[in-house]
Amino acid sequence: MINLNDIMETINMIQQDNLDIRTITMGISLLDCADPDAKRACEKIYDKITRLAGNLVKTGEDIEKQYGIPIINKRISVTPIAMIAAASGADPVMYAHALQRAADATGVNFIGGYSALVHKGFSAGDLALIKSIPQALSETTNICSSVNIGSTKAGINMDAVKLIGQTIRQAAEITADRDCIGCAKLVVFCNAPEDNPFMAGAFHGVGEPDCVIHVGVSGPGVVRSALKKCPDGDFGEVAEIIKRTAFKITRMGQLVGNEASKRLGVPFGIVDLSLAPTPAVGDSVAHILEEMGLEQCGTHGTTAALALLNDAVKKGGVMASSAVGGLSGAFIPVTEDAGMIDAARMGTLSIEKLEAMTAVCSVGLDMIVVPGETPAETISAIIADEAAIGMVNSKTTAVRIIPAIGKKAGEELEFGGLLGTGPIMPLHLDKSSKRFIDRGGRIPAPMQSLKN
């Protein structure tokens, strides 16, 4: 049973510490929408999404009013569209437009699932969908895309890595007049989870129910505020404070998930107990690390501090929910975190340090803005490096990288809202990775994949 006293105590943190539920996400299977007639398949997709999610936004708003809990985003994730396109044919962009119509009708912030799973190779529909991503993201506003190019069990599909580097480059070019926003809606995974409620990587896995509600919590400001009360404690005390705080935050997420499930008449899935930052002052994961004693995020000791934070969040949150899933831990999206933005501007936070940090946190190189001249093969090589960390460590890693067309290191992109501001980070563009990427094939799975 949920203890409402815990919830009410947590609500006191909302005003001063930016505590919120970052998202309630309805996952919807579209497998039964496949049809030999592609137009009919699109009609089925629209009809099913609007039927099941028609009251999603209103339900979220009603819960906000009743409990005083801000729910920032109401979202939908769907079956990877490459699967539907393979069964129904036609240009995959056609399905992106169907999803956009459904997003408009339901009023959700985003629909995720314009996706392909190609970690072991390309099946029917995958290549066409990946090549269509730049156009699809350019012609829609609320659709997010993801591609899973590797896993611990399968290794890394380097042909897909090469292709997705080219795709990201094209997505930046085609939306260059909008600060390359297409790339901000595209993420590349290794070990992608099927129940992730966070964008841009959410899709509804084939092992999920027909329809389900997932919740993504937040609260970095609350954790930082709690640590401020213990300026001289040792790391054991720091870990205990974070665990207790994560427990309270997750209890609030469990309450919202149960309420949304009951009111919408669909099963409750998981709480993703990630600390998701925003550009707002006081809502930064980087500032938590600095509260532990670092002068600025990115300096020596940052990876150790992040490892402690990520572990303590999981230990505290897992006891507070009936089911934990998704990504769960601490997010480090550079453009979406006020402390990360400052550290990148100062040069304290480099892409090399970020890569090291991704080995111990929830996701990976997230919302990284790089010079516009960055070639596709360099983007692919960055993805390969990050995927290798995920593959070898049996964890989810991801890359959401934005080549800032026409801009150089030291300049910035301005996205606004939750996407924030992107300081353009320098890369080693004087040395090429092209010959490495052009080899293609598949990097084999590591020995630790043999667990049966």
Side-chain angles (χ1 to χ4, degrees):
M1 286 292 291
I2 290 176
N3 185 336
L4 289 180
N5 289 330
D6 290 342
I7 299 299
M8 296 310 297
E9 180 185 358
T10 305
I11 287 172
N12 293 330
M13 305 172 184
I14 290 171
Q15 290 297 324
Q16 60 267 37
D17 298 321
N18 298 295
L19 178 61
D20 58 55
I21 297 296
R22 187 52 47 84
T23 181
I24 54 172
T25 301
M26 177 178 280
I28 300 174
S29 173
L30 301 182
L31 292 175
D32 57 345
C33 296
D35 192 284
D37 182 337
K39 289 184 178 179
R40 178 61 183 148
C42 288
E43 291 173 5
K44 289 181 178 180
I45 289 170
Y46 175 86
D47 290 344
K48 184 169 187 180
I49 292 173
T50 53
R51 172 172 55 86
L52 293 173
N55 290 323
L56 178 62
V57 172
K58 182 179 183 303
T59 298
E61 292 171 347
D62 289 345
I63 294 171
E64 286 182 271
K65 292 174 184 176
Q66 179 173 346
Y67 293 100
I69 301 170
I71 302 173
I72 305 303
N73 288 292
K74 294 83 177 175
R75 299 164 169 169
I76 295 168
S77 62
V78 298
T79 304
I81 290 297
M83 297 180 180
I84 311 303
S88 301
D91 183 349
V93 176
M94 183 176 176
Y95 302 95
H97 286 292
L99 294 176
Q100 182 62 54
R101 290 195 300 273
D104 293 338
T106 57
V108 296
N109 302 96
F110 291 107
I111 295 183
Y114 197 77
S115 306
L117 310 179
V118 295
H119 38 284
K120 208 167 184 178
F122 301 100
S123 59
D126 290 332
L127 279 172
L129 183 128
I130 294 172
K131 290 178 180 179
S132 76
I133 286 173
Q135 181 184 351
L137 297 183
S138 173
E139 295 179 1
T140 59
T141 55
N142 302 90
I143 305 308
C144 291
S145 180
S146 60
V147 179
N148 192 67
I149 51 81
S151 73
T152 300
K153 279 287 187 182
I156 302 172
N157 181 350
M158 292 299 291
D159 294 322
V161 168
K162 179 178 180 178
L163 178 59
I164 200 64
Q166 297 166 352
T167 301
I168 290 170
R169 176 81 204 180
Q170 291 164 7
E173 291 170 351
I174 202 171
T175 58
D177 59 332
R178 288 161 279 169
D179 283 327
C180 309
I181 190 66
C183 296
K185 298 185 290 180
L186 169 59
V187 61
V188 186
F189 277 114
C190 178
N191 290 321
E194 294 191 331
D195 55 3
N196 168 25
F198 284 99
M199 299 297 169
F203 64 87
H204 188 70
V206 295
E208 292 286 296
D210 189 62
C211 186
V212 67
I213 284 288
H214 302 308
V215 171
V217 300
S218 183
V222 176
V223 175
R224 184 192 184 194
S225 180
L227 288 180
K228 277 186 175 181
K229 300 170 185 175
C230 183
D232 301 316
D234 65 22
F235 285 114
E237 293 174 87
V238 168
E240 286 302 312
I241 290 169
I242 295 171
K243 284 192 289 184
R244 289 197 300 270
T245 306
F247 181 90
K248 296 173 185 177
I249 294 169
T250 307
R251 280 311 239 183
M252 189 174 75
Q254 179 78 27
L255 171 67
V256 169
N258 284 344
E259 282 293 316
S261 170
K262 181 173 65 177
R263 297 181 190 197
L264 291 165
V266 300
F268 172 60
I270 57 93
V271 174
D272 186 322
L273 46 92
S274 298
L275 294 181
T278 72
V281 175
D283 201 26
S284 162
V285 169
H287 288 160
I288 298 174
L289 307 182
E290 290 165 8
E291 196 63 47
M292 292 185 196
L294 302 174
E295 185 172 348
Q296 188 168 50
C297 178
T299 193
H300 306 294
T302 298
T303 306
L306 182 59
L308 184 154
L309 173 63
N310 206 59
D311 180 67
V313 166
K314 291 183 179 182
K315 286 175 177 173
V318 75
M319 296 298 293
S321 174
S322 60
V324 170
L327 299 164
S328 288
F331 288 178
I332 53 170
V334 173
T335 74
E336 299 176 17
D337 185 302
M340 298 282 178
I341 293 169
D342 290 341
R345 282 174 176 159
M346 293 289 292
T348 310
L349 186 64
S350 66
I351 195 164
E352 291 83 9
K353 186 59 176 177
L354 278 165
E355 184 178 300
M357 293 164 67
T358 64
V360 299
C361 76
S362 289
V363 194
L365 296 173
D366 195 13
M367 290 301 289
I368 308 295
V369 187
V370 296
E373 62 185 331
T374 305
E377 59 267 20
T378 298
I379 297 170
S380 294
I382 291 169
I383 291 168
D385 282 343
E386 192 60 30
I389 291 174
M391 176 185 71
V392 171
N393 291 286
S394 302
K395 70 185 293 292
T396 300
T397 53
V399 174
R400 190 163 41 148
I401 190 169
I402 302 142
I405 304 301
K407 294 181 180 289
K408 297 184 179 298
E411 298 183 69
E412 296 191 358
L413 285 184
E414 181 63 50
F415 300 110
L418 287 177
L419 294 177
T421 300
I424 299 174
M425 306 183 76
L427 300 176
H428 298 295
L429 298 180
D430 56 328
K431 303 297 181 183
S432 175
S433 306
K434 187 176 188 307
R435 185 163 162 260
F436 173 74
I437 294 300
D438 283 347
R439 285 181 179 273
R442 183 152 55 94
I443 293 178
M447 279 297 294
Q448 54 265 45
S449 69
L450 303 177
K451 293 183 178 180
N452 290 337

